Amino acid sequence: MLIGEVSKAAGMTPKTLRFYEEQGLLPPARRGPNGYRQYGDDSVIRLDFIARGRAAGLSVSQIRSILAAREAGNAPCAHVQDLLAGQLAELDLKIAELTALRAGVAASYEAVAAGNPSACDQSRVCSYL
Amino acid sequence: MLIGEVSKAAGMTPKTLRFYEEQGLLPPARRGPNGYRQYGDDSVIRLDFIARGRAAGLSVSQIRSILAAREAGNAPCAHVQDLLAGQLAELDLKIAELTALRAGVAASYEAVAAGNPSACDQSRVCSYL
DNA sequence: CTGCACCTTCCCCTGTGGGGGAAGGTCAAG
DNA sequence: CTTGACCTTCCCCCACAGGGGAAGGTGCAG
C-alpha cells in the first residue's frame, strides 16, 4: 500500500505518517523501485495504536517509548500503566488549576457585573478587574 | 524611571515591557537623550492592570482591546464583563474536555491494571490501550 | 582607565504536532 | 502526448508569551 492509502485507512494525512516515521513511531518504510514508501496491513494496526495513545493524551515520545518496549520483546503493559497513571495525575493537576482559575475569574466577573461603570476608576483602567 | 526599575516594580522583566510596548499594551515610551526609555508611575499602574488581566487568563489582544476602550474615553467595564464571560465559558469547556479525557484515561488505566501482560496481544502492541 | 551595571536593537529559540507549499519524479488513463 | 493524481524531499509556518544572547552604546564608581 502507498502512503495515501494507509494514511486514509488510519484517518491521518500522509504528512502525519512521514512525521511519525521521522519521530521514530514508525520504522523506516520499505521503498518501491520508484522510491515510494510501501506499507503492509500491520502499519495500519500500529497507526491505530498510536491514535489510541494520542487520544489518551500521550505525547509522541511517550508512545515511542511504549513501541520501543514492545519492539524489545517485552509486553509494554506495565509501562503503559505507569504512563497512564502519570497522565491521570497531570490531568488532575490541570483540572484543579483551571478550576481555581475559574473561581477567580468568576469572582472578578461578579465584581464587574455589580460595579458601577461610571464609578470605575479611570487611573486603574478598570477598578473591577 | 528606567525600564529595569519599572519592570521590577511590576514584577516583570525588561524584555516583557518591550514586548508589551511592541504589542501595543504600552504606548511608545518617552526616550531620554541617551535613547533610554523613560517611565512614570502611571506605567506601573498600567502594568498592574495588565498583570491582573493576564492572571485572569486574558490574552494580550484582549487586554489591548480593554486598554483601547479606556483610551477612547469609555469605561471599559461592559467590555471587561463580556471578556470575562467568554473566559468563563472557555474555562468550562476546557474543564469539561479534560474531565471527559480523564474518564477515558481512567478506564484505560483500569483495563491495563486488570489485564494480564502475558496475554497482551503483541500484534496490537498492547491490547489494553 | 577600567569595571560593572545598565540600556539599545536585532534575530533566533522554546514546546507541540503537525500543515503549507515549492520543485520535481512517476504512473496510469484518455 | 498530456493531464491528473500520486509520490519524493526540502524548508518554512502556526499559536503563545515571552526568553537567550550577541553586538554595541552609556553612565557612574573606584
Side-chain angles (χ1 to χ4, degrees):
Chain A
M1 290 195 291
L2 296 182
I3 196 170
E5 210 174 341
V6 177
S7 62
K8 197 174 304 177
M12 301 168 177
T13 68
K15 283 273 192 189
T16 301
L17 266 67
R18 295 191 194 101
F19 174 70
Y20 285 166
E21 178 178 323
E22 180 197 319
Q23 296 297 310
L25 297 192
L26 297 176
R30 273 178 299 117
R31 301 296 183 122
N34 48 13
Y36 290 13
R37 288 176 178 81
Q38 301 281 352
Y39 297 91
D41 291 343
D42 50 327
S43 295
V44 179
I45 294 179
R46 197 180 175 101
L47 287 167
D48 283 344
F49 174 79
I50 295 172
R52 289 198 302 281
R54 297 281 309 133
L58 298 182
S59 70
V60 163
S61 74
Q62 289 176 319
I63 295 171
R64 180 171 46 225
S65 71
I66 298 172
L67 293 166
R70 175 50 90 194
E71 234 112 278
N74 312 313
C77 300
H79 185 45
V80 168
Q81 191 177 344
D82 280 357
L83 290 176
L84 292 180
Q87 184 66 3
L88 283 177
E90 259 184 55
L91 286 172
D92 285 340
L93 183 59
K94 273 185 202 161
I95 291 169
E97 284 172 356
L98 288 181
T99 301
L101 178 57
R102 203 221 112 97
V105 173
S108 295
Y109 177 83
E110 295 306 329
V112 174
N116 176 2
S118 53
C120 182
D121 183 358
Q122 174 167 357
S123 69
R124 283 190 73 221
V125 182
C126 177
S127 304
Y128 306 114
L129 178 58
Chain B
M1 288 195 292
L2 297 182
I3 196 170
E5 210 173 341
V6 177
S7 61
K8 198 175 302 177
M12 301 168 177
T13 67
K15 283 273 192 188
T16 301
L17 265 69
R18 295 191 194 100
F19 174 70
Y20 285 166
E21 177 177 324
E22 180 196 320
Q23 296 299 309
L25 298 192
L26 297 176
R30 274 177 299 120
R31 301 295 183 124
N34 48 14
Y36 290 12
R37 288 176 178 81
Q38 301 280 352
Y39 296 92
D41 290 342
D42 51 327
S43 296
V44 179
I45 295 179
R46 196 179 176 100
L47 287 168
D48 283 345
F49 174 79
I50 295 172
R52 290 198 301 280
R54 296 283 308 132
L58 298 182
S59 70
V60 163
S61 75
Q62 288 176 319
I63 295 170
R64 180 172 44 225
S65 72
I66 298 172
L67 292 166
R70 175 50 91 191
E71 234 113 277
N74 312 313
C77 299
H79 185 44
V80 168
Q81 191 176 345
D82 280 357
L83 291 176
L84 292 180
Q87 185 66 4
L88 283 177
E90 259 183 55
L91 286 171
D92 285 341
L93 182 60
K94 274 185 200 161
I95 290 169
E97 284 172 357
L98 289 181
T99 301
L101 177 57
R102 203 221 111 96
V105 173
S108 295
Y109 177 83
E110 296 306 329
V112 174
N116 177 2
S118 53
C120 182
D121 183 358
Q122 175 168 357
S123 69
R124 283 190 71 221
V125 182
C126 176
S127 304
Y128 305 114
L129 178 58

